[in-house]
Amino acid sequence: MLTVETRYAVDPATAKALDTDGLRDHFHASNLFADGEIKLVYTHYDRLILGGAVPASRKLTLDAVKEAGTPSLLDRRELGILNIGDTGSVSVAGETFEVARGDVLYIGMGAGPVTFEGAGRFYVLSAPAHRSCPTRLIKVEDARRVELGSAETSNERVILQFLHPEVAESCQLLMGYTQFAPGSVWNTMPAHVHDRRMEAYLYFDLADDQRVFHFMGQPQETRHLVMANEDAVISPPWSIHCGAGTGAYTFCWAMAGDNVDFTDMDMVDMGDLR
């Protein structure tokens, strides 16, 4: 019912020498969503955990995770949950939340075991926490909307911010997702890095016969990963993170690190990319 994979941190000098399989072994995560299972990836980048929980016809409980080193996962952690499937329910601390597609549930440190039920496909993200923030369900209509880009540059998009200081309080986890206007395919371009925080992306709502080309690496040493629907990528603090799809898609972004300032980034001039 619960499987956990560990990914260790890689420095940029090592990363630039990796071949395709090596890059995918370290930074790419697939098959996170399996019926009746919780599948997690424990990363050594700011100790972020990402993964999927798909109850299907079962009841799944997320509690003890050996890699976290505590009796229960949330003893010293917070949790963000995005439902990318049909409506399902999440129960924690004696309360049950109906989580519709596109909603995000935040659960604060110390809340205890978390139980998933129903038709949801739950993407879960957990970061270490040093204080407890209120558990809260954030509906799509409650998210902060930021419209960016243009049709002329193929990146007209809306950023929906859920775990963000202006929407819902968290300790260090930032989380939301980005949706594209018809005909736009480029995300997070112009590119940037933020050495103070790592990031993780989940690509979803992508047709089975389409792909997203995710670009990573230092600005002068770029590489790419080919992403299918519901694939995730781990983005180190030293790496750019942008991509272009062959068709429409959505991606969930999440960050953990030194601050919760969404705009804390170091922009990369297009002429400096290699």
Side-chain angles (χ1 to χ4, degrees):
M1 186 177 73
L2 172 67
T3 58
V4 185
E5 179 186 355
T6 297
R7 300 289 183 93
Y8 296 99
V10 177
D11 67 274
T14 299
K16 78 176 185 178
L18 295 173
D19 62 9
T20 297
D21 287 341
L23 289 173
R24 293 177 75 85
D25 287 345
H26 285 288
F27 303 108
H28 175 263
S30 62
N31 302 315
L32 294 174
F33 300 90
D35 286 356
E37 296 185 44
I38 299 174
K39 301 181 73 173
L40 304 178
V41 176
Y42 180 97
T43 82
H44 280 244
Y45 297 101
D46 289 294
R47 303 288 171 172
L48 186 81
I49 293 174
L50 59 93
V54 185
S57 59
R58 303 181 61 178
K59 180 187 293 187
L60 299 177
T61 298
L62 179 59
D63 189 7
V65 175
K66 177 179 177 291
E67 287 75 5
T70 53
S72 185
L73 177 66
L74 295 185
D75 286 350
R76 294 178 58 83
R77 284 179 165 270
E78 57 188 347
L79 186 70
I81 302 168
L82 166 65
N83 185 8
I84 63 172
D86 294 330
T87 298
S89 66
V90 180
S91 300
V92 62
E95 190 171 4
T96 298
F97 300 88
E98 294 297 313
V99 185
R101 180 179 178 84
D103 292 347
V104 169
L105 176 64
Y106 173 78
I107 302 175
M109 182 184 73
V114 179
T115 300
F116 303 90
E117 296 181 81
R121 294 173 72 79
F122 298 103
Y123 179 51
V124 299
L125 291 150
S126 177
H130 59 264
R131 63 188 178 95
S132 181
C133 300
T135 294
R136 178 182 168 188
L137 176 64
I138 307 107
K139 309 292 289 183
V140 174
E141 55 268 26
D142 297 326
R144 182 173 184 262
R145 295 175 60 89
V146 179
E147 296 182 2
L148 292 174
S150 68
E152 290 74 17
T153 52
S154 303
N155 67 349
E156 185 180 359
R157 64 202 189 274
V158 57
I159 300 173
L160 298 174
Q161 299 171 337
F162 289 80
L163 303 189
H164 182 282
E166 295 185 34
V167 181
E169 183 184 14
S170 65
C171 182
Q172 71 156 320
L173 185 62
L174 290 179
M175 182 178 173
Y177 54 86
T178 300
Q179 297 174 320
F180 293 87
S184 286
V185 296
W186 276 102
N187 75 67
T188 326
M189 182 62 76
H192 64 264
V193 297
H194 32 68
D195 198 51
R196 296 147 301 276
R197 296 176 297 172
M198 64 82 64
E199 192 158 3
Y201 278 19
L202 174 75
Y203 290 98
F204 63 103
D205 288 344
L206 179 68
D208 288 342
D209 61 347
Q210 303 296 308
R211 294 293 184 269
V212 172
F213 288 75
H214 176 93
F215 294 93
M216 62 164 294
Q218 290 180 299
Q220 293 77 38
E221 287 285 349
T222 60
R223 301 291 186 269
H224 74 270
L225 296 167
V226 180
M227 312 295 291
N229 187 46
E230 297 184 353
D231 281 358
V233 62
I234 302 160
S235 182
W238 47 262
S239 176
I240 64 166
H241 36 80
C242 58
T246 60
Y249 65 97
T250 305
F251 70 91
C252 175
W253 44 266
M255 289 174 274
D258 272 337
N259 60 53
V260 291
D261 180 2
F262 183 83
T263 60
D264 177 19
M265 58 187 74
D266 302 316
M267 302 303 298
V268 178
D269 188 271
M270 292 291 278
D272 291 333
L273 290 173
R274 296 289 185 271

